[in-house]
Amino acid sequence: MKVRERPSIPDEIVDEIIIKLPAKSLMRFRCVSKIWLHKIDSLAFAIKRSAAASASASADEDNQILQLTFASKPPFPFHLLTLEDGNIIKRSAHPILELPNNIQESNFISHSAYGLFCFHTRGGVGKAYLCNPLRKEVLELPQATTGGSWLDFYAMGFDGTTSTYKIVRVFGKRSEIYTLGTSSWREISSVPPEDLDNMSNGVSAYGDMHWADDDHFSFGQRKGVDNCVIISFDFKKEEFKRTPTPDFGSLSYEHERFVMINLKGCLAIVILTPEDIEIWMMKDYDRKEWVKEYKITHN
C-alpha cells in the first residue's frame, strides 16, 4: 500500500503567515518544535513582525492591554486586559507574569517599546531591567558606568543598520549606550540639545525615540504651538537632534492640549482646541514631512 506524502508548505509562506498572528498565539506556537521556537525567538523574525505590525496591526492585539499592579510588596503581577464584544473589559484570571523580588516598588517604568518594559531604580545604584511579559522574561542590564538618580532618562530603539536593539541613558550632561547582547555600556559624545526634565514621556517611532517639551504640550501655556519643541534620538547615528514640528498655520490658542503619540507606526501630534481636534502625522520620516490627517469638530 502506497502512503501518500503530505504536501509541504514552503518556509517563506509559513513566515508570511505567522508574522501576522497575535502575540498570544505565537507564545503557544513556540511549543510546537525547536525549529518554531528558534524561528519565533529570532531577531530576524522580530524585525519582520515589527514591520508588518506597523503596516497593519492585528485586531486582536488592538483590543489587548497589559496591566501592571504595584502592591505593598513584590511580586508585582502583569495581567492581560481584553476588550470583548459589547465593550466589556475582561481581565485574565491569572497573571501572565509576576515580577521577581529584585524589582522593588522603588523601581519604575521609564519606557516601553517593542513589547518590552524598561525599569530603572530611583536611587543611586544605577540598576536597570528589561521585562518581556509575554515571554515571561526579566533581564537585568549591566551596571551603569555611574550611579543613577531621579533624573535619569532611559529609552529603547532599534538600529536597522546593525539589526540590534539599543538603550540610551541620559544622566546629567552625559549619555551612554547599551547594545542588547553586549556586556557593558559605552559613553557617547551626543547629549540632548535641551534638558529632558520638562519633556513628556518618550514616544517610539521609526526605530527612534522622541520627546516633546511639556512647557508647550500642556494646558494653558502662552507660548503657543509655533514654539513647541521635539527632541529625538537617532539610534543608528547614536545622536540627539531636534525634529521639526508641523506648520500649524494660524492655530494659536492659550488653552490647547497637545499629545504626542505613535499612530499606525507614525509619529503623530494630537491637538485639542476649544473647537476641534487635529491629528498631524509624520508620513515621511526621512524628509520630516507632516500631514494634517484628521480634523474632528466638537462642542
Side-chain angles (χ1 to χ4, degrees), residues 72-106:
S72 58
K73 60 180 181 179
F76 307 118
F78 272 100
H79 283 270
L80 194 63
L81 305 182
T82 305
L83 179 63
E84 299 186 343
D85 294 339
N87 291 330
I88 297 174
I89 296 178
K90 184 178 180 181
R91 175 175 169 174
S92 59
H94 303 285
I96 63 172
L97 172 67
E98 290 185 343
L99 297 182
N101 293 344
N102 59 338
I103 297 185
Q104 302 294 328
E105 192 175 10
S106 60

Side-chain angles (χ1 to χ4, degrees), residues 19 35 38 45-46 54 59-60 77 86 91-92 101 130 134 143 148 169 172 186-187 201 209 216 231-232 248 258 281:
I19 63 173
I35 295 177
H38 294 151
F45 180 80
S54 297
D60 289 339
R91 175 175 169 174
S92 59
N101 293 344
L130 282 182
L134 294 176
Q143 183 74 38
R169 173 181 175 243
R186 52 185 172 82
E187 191 163 353
N201 289 333
M209 183 55 54
H216 310 294
I231 303 299
S232 302
F248 296 108
F258 303 83
M281 298 176 65

Side-chain angles (χ1 to χ4, degrees), residues 11-66:
D11 289 343
E12 295 79 7
I13 296 179
V14 173
D15 291 346
E16 290 300 317
I17 294 173
I18 63 177
I19 63 173
K20 296 179 174 63
L21 296 176
K24 193 160 63 172
S25 298
L26 290 176
M27 293 304 103
R28 296 199 305 268
F29 293 159
R30 293 174 71 244
C31 303
V32 171
S33 67
K34 288 184 177 180
I35 295 177
W36 278 54
L37 173 66
H38 294 151
K39 179 191 292 289
I40 294 173
D41 286 357
S42 69
L43 182 59
F45 180 80
I47 296 169
K48 289 181 180 179
R49 190 167 184 277
S50 295
S54 297
S56 176
S58 165
D60 289 339
E61 292 185 337
D62 285 345
N63 293 334
Q64 294 180 346
I65 299 174
L66 283 172

Side-chain angles (χ1 to χ4, degrees), residues 60-285:
D60 289 339
E61 292 185 337
D62 285 345
N63 293 334
Q64 294 180 346
I65 299 174
L66 283 172
Q67 178 194 41
L68 172 62
T69 302
F70 279 108
S72 58
K73 60 180 181 179
F76 307 118
F78 272 100
H79 283 270
L80 194 63
L81 305 182
T82 305
L83 179 63
E84 299 186 343
D85 294 339
N87 291 330
I88 297 174
I89 296 178
K90 184 178 180 181
R91 175 175 169 174
S92 59
H94 303 285
I96 63 172
L97 172 67
E98 290 185 343
L99 297 182
N101 293 344
N102 59 338
I103 297 185
Q104 302 294 328
E105 192 175 10
S106 60
N107 293 257
F108 66 100
I109 297 176
S110 61
H111 178 59
S112 62
Y114 310 102
L116 303 176
F117 293 83
C118 181
F119 299 82
H120 74 87
T121 55
R122 296 176 185 267
V125 292
K127 290 278 189 179
Y129 307 86
L130 282 182
C131 170
N132 186 331
L134 294 176
R135 290 269 298 273
K136 298 178 172 49
E137 295 176 348
V138 177
L139 172 68
E140 181 177 341
L141 301 184
Q143 183 74 38
T145 55
T146 62
S149 75
W150 287 82
L151 300 179
D152 285 1
F153 288 87
Y154 287 75
M156 172 178 282
F158 181 73
D159 181 353
T161 61
T162 59
S163 297
T164 54
Y165 291 98
K166 296 179 179 179
I167 298 172
V168 63
R169 173 181 175 243
V170 180
F171 54 106
K173 300 295 183 182
R174 300 165 62 186
S175 305
E176 61 182 3
I177 282 278
Y178 172 71
T179 301
L180 205 58
T182 61
S183 59
S184 62
W185 295 80
R186 52 185 172 82
E187 191 163 353
I188 59 175
S189 58
S190 181
V191 294
E194 295 192 18
D195 289 337
L196 298 180
D197 298 356
N198 296 322
M199 297 288 184
S200 62
N201 289 333
V203 174
S204 176
Y206 321 105
D208 294 342
M209 183 55 54
H210 313 271
W211 297 267
D213 189 341
D214 270 341
D215 284 342
H216 310 294
F217 282 61
S218 58
F219 282 113
Q221 298 297 332
R222 294 188 176 91
K223 296 181 180 180
V225 295
D226 53 339
N227 291 312
C228 65
V229 175
I230 297 177
I231 303 299
S232 302
F233 185 77
D234 186 325
F235 281 91
K236 294 180 287 296
K237 297 180 179 179
E238 297 187 353
E239 64 182 21
F240 290 92
K241 59 187 178 183
R242 294 178 185 270
T243 293
T245 55
D247 180 4
F248 296 108
S250 60
L251 182 64
S252 182
Y253 297 97
E254 291 186 6
H255 300 286
E256 297 156 339
R257 171 61 175 164
F258 303 83
V259 180
M260 190 167 64
I261 62 173
N262 181 310
L263 181 59
K264 299 180 180 178
C266 298
L267 190 65
I269 294 177
V270 182
I271 304 176
L272 173 63
T273 75
E275 286 79 24
D276 51 46
I277 299 171
E278 292 186 359
I279 301 180
W280 294 73
M281 298 176 65
M282 184 181 285
K283 291 298 190 71
D284 191 323
Y285 188 57

